[in-house]
Amino acid sequence: MIINNRMIFRRIGLAAATSILVYFMFLYLHAGTLSFLFDGSFTIDTVMLVDMILAFLFLLVIFWIQAKISLFMQSKAMNKHQEPLKPILEAVLVVGTNLALLTILFLLPLMLLFPETKLPPGRLRIVYIITTIVALFFYYFVERVKNQKQLQSALLHAAQLQQANLQYQLQNLKNQVDPHFLFNSLNVLCAVIQQDTNRALAFVQKLAEVYRYFLDIQNKILVPLKQELELVDAYIYLLHTRFGQVIQFKLAIASDKLFLQLPPCSLQMLLENAVKHNSATKKTPLLIKLYTIENKLVVENNVQPRQEIIQSTKTGLSNIINRYRYLTIEEVTIQHTLDVFRVQLPLLTADEYEGNNHRR
């Protein structure tokens, strides 16, 4: 939204400055001098004021149309056309829209408002020629250059996203065969089998769900929150089986947020991070809360640092932050106090992702 507003104000300012410049260019061509601007004889009358307002509106619409033409020429449909048809069509569109809009938005209103004012044919030709030159200049040296920079930025963004996705896939593969997670899970399974066969079977099923999820989302950039919570449900079962009730969970997820999206495995990484860095006992259980605020998912836990030193590469949290950085302008918010560690993850829609990706 901020980017769009800046672009709108920039176009308004550009149209205003250009309309003034072009208007005084016409005055110079008509009078042969601009000395009257400095000798005190220059006054702004009604015709001049309306003239400048119409010129401003005309240029504002032209700049907006030019942006649409540039996007159209870069579309998949136009990429099928070969040289020299495409640049010829592009020039015809720019010149044609300029002449049509000049007639509709400037000359006709001026003649209707001031029917007594007559434009000589020579001056009319100059108006058409100069505005066409201005339109071509701004299209090829301003709008086109801007879009080329945006295209290069989009290609760079795509390459960065691909790199981040590859890094995520490597990290995901590492998670799939993490010896510590697998070793601990098998130890828990051995202990549970001796105590309760049915419970052991349920543990194996939940463990399979976790690994199946890792496999299913390897090539996905975003997944619905509902799908992530299914992984969380299986992962919580494994944690409860291993640690008992010393780790407690409280979920308050708004139902209308379930189909918003986020990077896959984000929640599992945050839960793993909370368990890894905090102690938990019956007297002081580790409480992990998952809840939604507006279009954000909050993962929060009480801070109970472990006595032993934990080796951490912080790859999980940085992985989440980096993936969000490439997906959206929305930022991951982290709050770390003596009592609480809180992470807020923006929940996205597919449209928001496409829009942010396009603006980059």
Side-chain angles (χ1 to χ4, degrees), residues 11-56:
R11 283 180 179 167
I12 291 174
L14 184 61
T18 306
S19 61
I20 294 172
L21 179 64
V22 171
Y23 186 81
F24 283 104
M25 185 186 301
F26 283 127
L27 286 181
Y28 177 78
L29 292 173
H30 179 69
T33 180
L34 293 178
S35 59
F36 57 86
L37 293 175
F38 310 102
D39 60 12
S41 62
F42 176 73
T43 57
I44 299 177
D45 56 19
T46 304
V47 176
M48 182 181 296
L49 185 61
V50 172
D51 218 2
M52 294 181 69
I53 292 174
L54 291 175
F56 166 73

CSV table of all heavy atoms in Angstrom, one decimal, residues 11-56:
chain,number,residue,atom,x,y,z
A,11,ARG,N,3.5,10.1,-9.7
A,11,ARG,CA,2.9,10.4,-11.0
A,11,ARG,C,2.2,11.7,-11.0
A,11,ARG,O,2.2,12.4,-12.0
A,11,ARG,CB,2.0,9.2,-11.4
A,11,ARG,CG,2.7,8.0,-11.9
A,11,ARG,CD,1.8,6.9,-12.2
A,11,ARG,NE,2.5,5.7,-12.7
A,11,ARG,CZ,1.9,4.5,-12.9
A,11,ARG,NH1,0.7,4.3,-12.5
A,11,ARG,NH2,2.6,3.5,-13.3
A,12,ILE,N,1.5,12.0,-9.9
A,12,ILE,CA,0.8,13.3,-9.8
A,12,ILE,C,1.8,14.4,-9.9
A,12,ILE,O,1.6,15.4,-10.7
A,12,ILE,CB,0.0,13.4,-8.5
A,12,ILE,CG1,-1.2,12.4,-8.6
A,12,ILE,CG2,-0.5,14.8,-8.3
A,12,ILE,CD1,-2.0,12.3,-7.3
A,13,GLY,N,2.9,14.3,-9.2
A,13,GLY,CA,3.9,15.4,-9.2
A,13,GLY,C,4.6,15.5,-10.6
A,13,GLY,O,4.8,16.6,-11.1
A,14,LEU,N,4.8,14.4,-11.2
A,14,LEU,CA,5.4,14.4,-12.6
A,14,LEU,C,4.5,15.0,-13.6
A,14,LEU,O,4.9,15.8,-14.4
A,14,LEU,CB,5.8,12.9,-13.0
A,14,LEU,CG,6.5,12.8,-14.3
A,14,LEU,CD1,7.8,13.5,-14.3
A,14,LEU,CD2,6.7,11.3,-14.6
A,15,ALA,N,3.2,14.7,-13.5
A,15,ALA,CA,2.2,15.3,-14.4
A,15,ALA,C,2.1,16.8,-14.2
A,15,ALA,O,2.0,17.5,-15.1
A,15,ALA,CB,0.8,14.6,-14.2
A,16,ALA,N,2.1,17.2,-12.9
A,16,ALA,CA,2.0,18.6,-12.6
A,16,ALA,C,3.2,19.4,-13.2
A,16,ALA,O,3.1,20.5,-13.8
A,16,ALA,CB,1.9,18.9,-11.1
A,17,ALA,N,4.4,18.9,-12.9
A,17,ALA,CA,5.6,19.6,-13.3
A,17,ALA,C,5.7,19.6,-14.9
A,17,ALA,O,6.1,20.6,-15.5
A,17,ALA,CB,6.9,18.9,-12.8
A,18,THR,N,5.3,18.5,-15.5
A,18,THR,CA,5.4,18.4,-17.0
A,18,THR,C,4.4,19.3,-17.6
A,18,THR,O,4.7,19.9,-18.6
A,18,THR,CB,5.2,16.9,-17.4
A,18,THR,OG1,6.1,16.1,-16.8
A,18,THR,CG2,5.4,16.8,-18.9
A,19,SER,N,3.2,19.4,-17.0
A,19,SER,CA,2.1,20.2,-17.6
A,19,SER,C,2.6,21.7,-17.6
A,19,SER,O,2.4,22.4,-18.5
A,19,SER,CB,0.8,20.1,-16.9
A,19,SER,OG,1.0,20.4,-15.5
A,20,ILE,N,3.2,22.1,-16.5
A,20,ILE,CA,3.7,23.5,-16.4
A,20,ILE,C,4.8,23.7,-17.4
A,20,ILE,O,4.8,24.7,-18.1
A,20,ILE,CB,4.2,23.8,-15.0
A,20,ILE,CG1,3.0,23.8,-14.0
A,20,ILE,CG2,4.9,25.2,-14.9
A,20,ILE,CD1,3.5,23.8,-12.5
A,21,LEU,N,5.8,22.8,-17.5
A,21,LEU,CA,6.9,22.9,-18.5
A,21,LEU,C,6.4,23.0,-19.9
A,21,LEU,O,6.8,23.8,-20.7
A,21,LEU,CB,7.8,21.7,-18.3
A,21,LEU,CG,9.0,21.7,-19.2
A,21,LEU,CD1,9.9,22.9,-18.9
A,21,LEU,CD2,9.8,20.4,-19.0
A,22,VAL,N,5.5,22.1,-20.3
A,22,VAL,CA,4.9,22.0,-21.6
A,22,VAL,C,4.1,23.3,-21.9
A,22,VAL,O,4.2,23.8,-23.0
A,22,VAL,CB,4.1,20.8,-21.8
A,22,VAL,CG1,3.3,20.8,-23.2
A,22,VAL,CG2,4.9,19.5,-21.8
A,23,TYR,N,3.4,23.8,-21.0
A,23,TYR,CA,2.6,25.0,-21.2
A,23,TYR,C,3.4,26.2,-21.5
A,23,TYR,O,3.2,26.9,-22.5
A,23,TYR,CB,1.7,25.3,-20.0
A,23,TYR,CG,0.7,26.4,-20.2
A,23,TYR,CD1,-0.5,26.2,-20.9
A,23,TYR,CD2,1.1,27.7,-19.8
A,23,TYR,CE1,-1.3,27.2,-21.1
A,23,TYR,CE2,0.2,28.7,-20.1
A,23,TYR,CZ,-1.0,28.5,-20.7
A,23,TYR,OH,-1.9,29.6,-21.0
A,24,PHE,N,4.5,26.3,-20.7
A,24,PHE,CA,5.4,27.5,-21.0
A,24,PHE,C,6.2,27.3,-22.3
A,24,PHE,O,6.7,28.2,-22.9
A,24,PHE,CB,6.3,27.8,-19.8
A,24,PHE,CG,5.6,28.5,-18.7
A,24,PHE,CD1,5.1,27.8,-17.5
A,24,PHE,CD2,5.2,29.8,-18.8
A,24,PHE,CE1,4.5,28.4,-16.5
A,24,PHE,CE2,4.5,30.5,-17.8
A,24,PHE,CZ,4.1,29.8,-16.6
A,25,MET,N,6.4,26.0,-22.6
A,25,MET,CA,7.1,25.8,-23.9
A,25,MET,C,6.2,26.3,-25.1
A,25,MET,O,6.7,26.9,-26.0
A,25,MET,CB,7.3,24.3,-24.1
A,25,MET,CG,8.1,23.9,-25.3
A,25,MET,SD,8.2,22.1,-25.5
A,25,MET,CE,9.1,21.6,-24.0
A,26,PHE,N,4.9,26.0,-24.9
A,26,PHE,CA,3.9,26.5,-25.9
A,26,PHE,C,3.9,28.0,-26.0
A,26,PHE,O,3.9,28.7,-27.1
A,26,PHE,CB,2.5,26.0,-25.7
A,26,PHE,CG,2.3,24.6,-26.1
A,26,PHE,CD1,1.8,23.6,-25.2
A,26,PHE,CD2,2.6,24.2,-27.4
A,26,PHE,CE1,1.6,22.3,-25.6
A,26,PHE,CE2,2.4,22.8,-27.8
A,26,PHE,CZ,1.9,21.9,-26.9
A,27,LEU,N,4.0,28.6,-24.8
A,27,LEU,CA,4.0,30.1,-24.7
A,27,LEU,C,5.2,30.6,-25.4
A,27,LEU,O,5.2,31.6,-26.2
A,27,LEU,CB,4.0,30.6,-23.3
A,27,LEU,CG,2.6,30.5,-22.5
A,27,LEU,CD1,2.8,31.0,-21.1
A,27,LEU,CD2,1.5,31.2,-23.2
A,28,TYR,N,6.3,30.0,-25.2
A,28,TYR,CA,7.6,30.4,-25.9
A,28,TYR,C,7.5,30.3,-27.4
A,28,TYR,O,7.9,31.2,-28.1
A,28,TYR,CB,8.8,29.6,-25.3
A,28,TYR,CG,10.1,30.0,-26.0
A,28,TYR,CD1,10.8,31.1,-25.6
A,28,TYR,CD2,10.6,29.1,-27.0
A,28,TYR,CE1,12.0,31.5,-26.3
A,28,TYR,CE2,11.8,29.5,-27.6
A,28,TYR,CZ,12.5,30.6,-27.2
A,28,TYR,OH,13.7,30.9,-27.9
A,29,LEU,N,7.0,29.1,-27.8
A,29,LEU,CA,6.8,28.9,-29.3
A,29,LEU,C,5.9,29.9,-29.9
A,29,LEU,O,6.0,30.3,-31.1
A,29,LEU,CB,6.4,27.5,-29.6
A,29,LEU,CG,7.4,26.4,-29.2
A,29,LEU,CD1,6.7,25.0,-29.4
A,29,LEU,CD2,8.6,26.5,-30.1
A,30,HIS,N,4.8,30.3,-29.2
A,30,HIS,CA,3.8,31.2,-29.7
A,30,HIS,C,4.4,32.7,-29.7
A,30,HIS,O,4.2,33.4,-30.6
A,30,HIS,CB,2.6,31.1,-28.8
A,30,HIS,CG,1.5,32.1,-29.3
A,30,HIS,ND1,0.8,31.9,-30.5
A,30,HIS,CD2,1.0,33.2,-28.7
A,30,HIS,CE1,-0.1,32.9,-30.6
A,30,HIS,NE2,0.0,33.6,-29.6
A,31,ALA,N,5.0,33.1,-28.5
A,31,ALA,CA,5.4,34.5,-28.4
A,31,ALA,C,6.9,34.7,-28.8
A,31,ALA,O,7.3,35.8,-29.1
A,31,ALA,CB,5.2,34.9,-27.0
A,32,GLY,N,7.7,33.6,-28.8
A,32,GLY,CA,9.1,33.8,-29.2
A,32,GLY,C,10.0,34.2,-28.1
A,32,GLY,O,11.2,34.4,-28.2
A,33,THR,N,9.4,34.5,-26.9
A,33,THR,CA,10.2,34.9,-25.7
A,33,THR,C,9.4,34.7,-24.5
A,33,THR,O,8.1,34.5,-24.5
A,33,THR,CB,10.5,36.4,-25.8
A,33,THR,OG1,11.2,36.8,-24.7
A,33,THR,CG2,9.2,37.3,-25.9
A,34,LEU,N,10.1,34.6,-23.4
A,34,LEU,CA,9.4,34.5,-22.1
A,34,LEU,C,9.8,35.6,-21.2
A,34,LEU,O,9.6,35.6,-19.9
A,34,LEU,CB,9.9,33.1,-21.4
A,34,LEU,CG,9.4,31.8,-22.0
A,34,LEU,CD1,10.0,30.6,-21.3
A,34,LEU,CD2,7.9,31.8,-22.1
A,35,SER,N,10.2,36.7,-21.8
A,35,SER,CA,10.6,37.9,-21.0
A,35,SER,C,9.5,38.5,-20.2
A,35,SER,O,9.6,39.1,-19.2
A,35,SER,CB,11.2,38.9,-21.9
A,35,SER,OG,10.3,39.3,-22.9
A,36,PHE,N,8.2,38.3,-20.7
A,36,PHE,CA,7.1,38.8,-20.0
A,36,PHE,C,6.8,38.2,-18.7
A,36,PHE,O,6.1,38.8,-17.8
A,36,PHE,CB,5.8,38.6,-20.9
A,36,PHE,CG,5.5,37.2,-21.2
A,36,PHE,CD1,4.8,36.4,-20.4
A,36,PHE,CD2,6.0,36.7,-22.4
A,36,PHE,CE1,4.6,35.1,-20.7
A,36,PHE,CE2,5.8,35.4,-22.8
A,36,PHE,CZ,5.0,34.5,-21.9
A,37,LEU,N,7.5,37.1,-18.4
A,37,LEU,CA,7.4,36.5,-17.1
A,37,LEU,C,8.1,37.3,-16.0
A,37,LEU,O,7.8,37.2,-14.8
A,37,LEU,CB,8.0,35.1,-17.1
A,37,LEU,CG,7.3,34.0,-17.9
A,37,LEU,CD1,8.1,32.7,-17.9
A,37,LEU,CD2,5.9,33.8,-17.4
A,38,PHE,N,9.0,38.2,-16.4
A,38,PHE,CA,9.9,38.9,-15.5
A,38,PHE,C,9.7,40.4,-15.5
A,38,PHE,O,10.2,41.1,-14.6
A,38,PHE,CB,11.3,38.6,-15.8
A,38,PHE,CG,11.6,37.1,-15.9
A,38,PHE,CD1,11.8,36.6,-17.2
A,38,PHE,CD2,11.8,36.3,-14.8
A,38,PHE,CE1,12.1,35.2,-17.3
A,38,PHE,CE2,12.0,35.0,-15.0
A,38,PHE,CZ,12.2,34.4,-16.2
A,39,ASP,N,8.9,40.9,-16.4
A,39,ASP,CA,8.7,42.4,-16.5
A,39,ASP,C,7.4,42.8,-15.8
A,39,ASP,O,7.0,44.0,-15.8
A,39,ASP,CB,8.7,42.9,-17.9
A,39,ASP,CG,7.6,42.2,-18.8
A,39,ASP,OD1,6.7,41.6,-18.2
A,39,ASP,OD2,7.6,42.3,-20.0
A,40,GLY,N,6.7,41.9,-15.1
A,40,GLY,CA,5.5,42.2,-14.4
A,40,GLY,C,4.2,42.2,-15.2
A,40,GLY,O,3.1,42.5,-14.6
A,41,SER,N,4.3,42.0,-16.5
A,41,SER,CA,3.1,42.0,-17.3
A,41,SER,C,2.4,40.7,-17.4
A,41,SER,O,1.3,40.6,-17.9
A,41,SER,CB,3.5,42.4,-18.7
A,41,SER,OG,4.4,41.5,-19.3
A,42,PHE,N,3.0,39.6,-16.8
A,42,PHE,CA,2.4,38.3,-16.9
A,42,PHE,C,1.2,38.1,-15.9
A,42,PHE,O,1.5,38.4,-14.7
A,42,PHE,CB,3.4,37.2,-16.7
A,42,PHE,CG,2.9,35.8,-16.7
A,42,PHE,CD1,2.4,35.2,-17.9
A,42,PHE,CD2,2.8,35.1,-15.5
A,42,PHE,CE1,1.9,33.9,-17.9
A,42,PHE,CE2,2.3,33.8,-15.5
A,42,PHE,CZ,1.8,33.2,-16.7
A,43,THR,N,0.1,37.7,-16.3
A,43,THR,CA,-1.0,37.4,-15.4
A,43,THR,C,-1.7,36.1,-15.8
A,43,THR,O,-1.6,35.7,-17.0
A,43,THR,CB,-2.1,38.5,-15.5
A,43,THR,OG1,-2.6,38.7,-16.8
A,43,THR,CG2,-1.6,39.9,-15.0
A,44,ILE,N,-2.3,35.5,-14.8
A,44,ILE,CA,-3.0,34.2,-15.1
A,44,ILE,C,-4.5,34.4,-15.2
A,44,ILE,O,-5.1,34.9,-14.2
A,44,ILE,CB,-2.7,33.2,-13.9
A,44,ILE,CG1,-1.2,32.9,-13.9
A,44,ILE,CG2,-3.4,31.9,-14.1
A,44,ILE,CD1,-0.8,32.0,-12.7
A,45,ASP,N,-5.0,34.2,-16.4
A,45,ASP,CA,-6.4,34.4,-16.5
A,45,ASP,C,-7.2,33.1,-16.5
A,45,ASP,O,-6.6,32.0,-16.3
A,45,ASP,CB,-6.7,35.1,-17.9
A,45,ASP,CG,-6.2,34.4,-19.1
A,45,ASP,OD1,-5.8,33.2,-18.9
A,45,ASP,OD2,-6.0,35.0,-20.1
A,46,THR,N,-8.5,33.1,-16.7
A,46,THR,CA,-9.3,31.9,-16.5
A,46,THR,C,-8.9,30.8,-17.6
A,46,THR,O,-8.8,29.6,-17.3
A,46,THR,CB,-10.8,32.2,-16.7
A,46,THR,OG1,-11.1,33.2,-15.7
A,46,THR,CG2,-11.7,31.0,-16.4
A,47,VAL,N,-8.7,31.3,-18.8
A,47,VAL,CA,-8.4,30.4,-19.9
A,47,VAL,C,-7.1,29.7,-19.6
A,47,VAL,O,-6.9,28.5,-19.8
A,47,VAL,CB,-8.3,31.2,-21.3
A,47,VAL,CG1,-7.9,30.2,-22.4
A,47,VAL,CG2,-9.6,31.8,-21.6
A,48,MET,N,-6.1,30.4,-19.2
A,48,MET,CA,-4.8,29.9,-18.8
A,48,MET,C,-4.9,28.8,-17.7
A,48,MET,O,-4.3,27.8,-17.8
A,48,MET,CB,-3.8,31.0,-18.4
A,48,MET,CG,-2.4,30.4,-18.2
A,48,MET,SD,-1.3,31.8,-17.7
A,48,MET,CE,-1.3,32.7,-19.2
A,49,LEU,N,-5.7,29.2,-16.7
A,49,LEU,CA,-5.8,28.2,-15.6
A,49,LEU,C,-6.5,26.9,-16.0
A,49,LEU,O,-6.0,25.8,-15.7
A,49,LEU,CB,-6.7,28.9,-14.5
A,49,LEU,CG,-6.8,28.1,-13.2
A,49,LEU,CD1,-5.4,27.9,-12.5
A,49,LEU,CD2,-7.7,28.9,-12.2
A,50,VAL,N,-7.6,27.0,-16.8
A,50,VAL,CA,-8.3,25.8,-17.3
A,50,VAL,C,-7.4,25.1,-18.2
A,50,VAL,O,-7.3,23.8,-18.2
A,50,VAL,CB,-9.6,26.2,-18.0
A,50,VAL,CG1,-10.2,25.0,-18.7
A,50,VAL,CG2,-10.6,26.8,-17.0
A,51,ASP,N,-6.6,25.8,-19.0
A,51,ASP,CA,-5.6,25.2,-19.9
A,51,ASP,C,-4.6,24.3,-19.2
A,51,ASP,O,-4.4,23.1,-19.5
A,51,ASP,CB,-4.9,26.3,-20.7
A,51,ASP,CG,-4.6,25.9,-22.1
A,51,ASP,OD1,-5.1,24.8,-22.5
A,51,ASP,OD2,-4.0,26.7,-22.8
A,52,MET,N,-4.1,24.8,-18.1
A,52,MET,CA,-3.1,24.1,-17.3
A,52,MET,C,-3.7,22.9,-16.6
A,52,MET,O,-3.1,21.8,-16.4
A,52,MET,CB,-2.4,25.0,-16.3
A,52,MET,CG,-1.6,26.1,-17.0
A,52,MET,SD,-0.7,27.2,-15.9
A,52,MET,CE,0.5,26.1,-15.1
A,53,ILE,N,-5.0,23.1,-16.1
A,53,ILE,CA,-5.6,22.0,-15.4
A,53,ILE,C,-5.9,20.8,-16.3
A,53,ILE,O,-5.7,19.6,-16.0
A,53,ILE,CB,-7.0,22.5,-14.7
A,53,ILE,CG1,-6.6,23.4,-13.6
A,53,ILE,CG2,-7.8,21.3,-14.2
A,53,ILE,CD1,-7.9,24.1,-13.0
A,54,LEU,N,-6.4,21.2,-17.6
A,54,LEU,CA,-6.7,20.1,-18.6
A,54,LEU,C,-5.4,19.4,-19.0
A,54,LEU,O,-5.4,18.2,-19.2
A,54,LEU,CB,-7.4,20.8,-19.8
A,54,LEU,CG,-8.8,21.2,-19.6
A,54,LEU,CD1,-9.3,21.9,-20.8
A,54,LEU,CD2,-9.7,20.1,-19.2
A,55,ALA,N,-4.3,20.2,-19.1
A,55,ALA,CA,-3.0,19.6,-19.5
A,55,ALA,C,-2.6,18.7,-18.4
A,55,ALA,O,-2.0,17.6,-18.7
A,55,ALA,CB,-2.0,20.7,-19.7
A,56,PHE,N,-2.7,19.1,-17.1
A,56,PHE,CA,-2.4,18.2,-16.0
A,56,PHE,C,-3.1,16.9,-16.0
A,56,PHE,O,-2.6,15.8,-15.9
A,56,PHE,CB,-2.6,19.0,-14.7
A,56,PHE,CG,-2.6,18.1,-13.5
A,56,PHE,CD1,-1.4,17.6,-13.0
A,56,PHE,CD2,-3.7,17.7,-12.8
A,56,PHE,CE1,-1.3,16.7,-11.9
A,56,PHE,CE2,-3.7,16.9,-11.7
A,56,PHE,CZ,-2.5,16.4,-11.2
